[in-house]
Amino acid sequence: MKKVILLIALFITISISATWAQEIPIFNQYLLNRYLHNPSETGRCPCSKFRITHRQQWLGVDQAPRTSTASFHGRLTNSRVGLGIMAYNDRNGLVSSTGGLVSLGYH
């Protein structure tokens, strides 16, 4: 009986976490731009980085999921302070969301 309850609890936990992952559109592009996933990347490198990403699934299908992001982050001149900004637009059928993020980091 304990094994059944443990399996049910595990199934519910996995189902809930998978549902939350569907609500965060930019996390699936973190390999191309680590700043999208982790704002503490702001100012980590001594150089500035500007990146634009776009992902469209199911080409040729109307209202197919697509996500676009644009981000810039880098250090302020000769300091340990970094500043970053990011904007995204996600469309999935009839549902769409647009948002942004401004971050400040000290290294």
Side-chain angles (χ1 to χ4, degrees):
M1 187 65 179
K2 288 183 181 182
K3 289 182 181 181
V4 172
I5 293 173
L6 182 62
L7 286 174
I8 290 172
L10 181 64
F11 177 74
I12 290 172
T13 303
I14 291 172
S15 299
I16 289 172
S17 63
T19 307
W20 286 336
Q22 298 300 318
E23 295 179 15
I24 305 171
I26 59 174
F27 276 9
N28 60 5
Q29 297 185 10
Y30 73 94
L31 291 174
L32 300 173
N33 188 352
R34 294 190 324 193
Y35 174 68
L36 297 178
H37 181 69
N38 188 359
S40 69
E41 288 284 321
T42 302
R44 184 181 62 87
C45 296
C47 59
S48 298
K49 296 182 180 182
F50 176 70
R51 300 234 170 109
I52 296 175
T53 61
H54 179 76
R55 179 180 183 199
Q56 183 170 352
Q57 301 177 35
W58 312 332
L59 292 175
V61 176
D62 291 337
Q63 298 182 351
R66 61 183 174 200
T67 304
S68 301
T69 63
S71 68
F72 174 80
H73 67 97
R75 285 191 185 174
L76 299 178
T77 56
N78 296 326
S79 69
R80 299 174 70 178
V81 178
L83 181 65
I85 186 167
M86 183 266 298
Y88 72 90
N89 183 8
D90 180 58
R91 293 178 188 249
N92 189 357
L94 299 176
V95 178
S96 68
S97 64
T98 303
L101 170 77
V102 175
S103 60
L104 183 69
Y106 180 78
H107 297 275

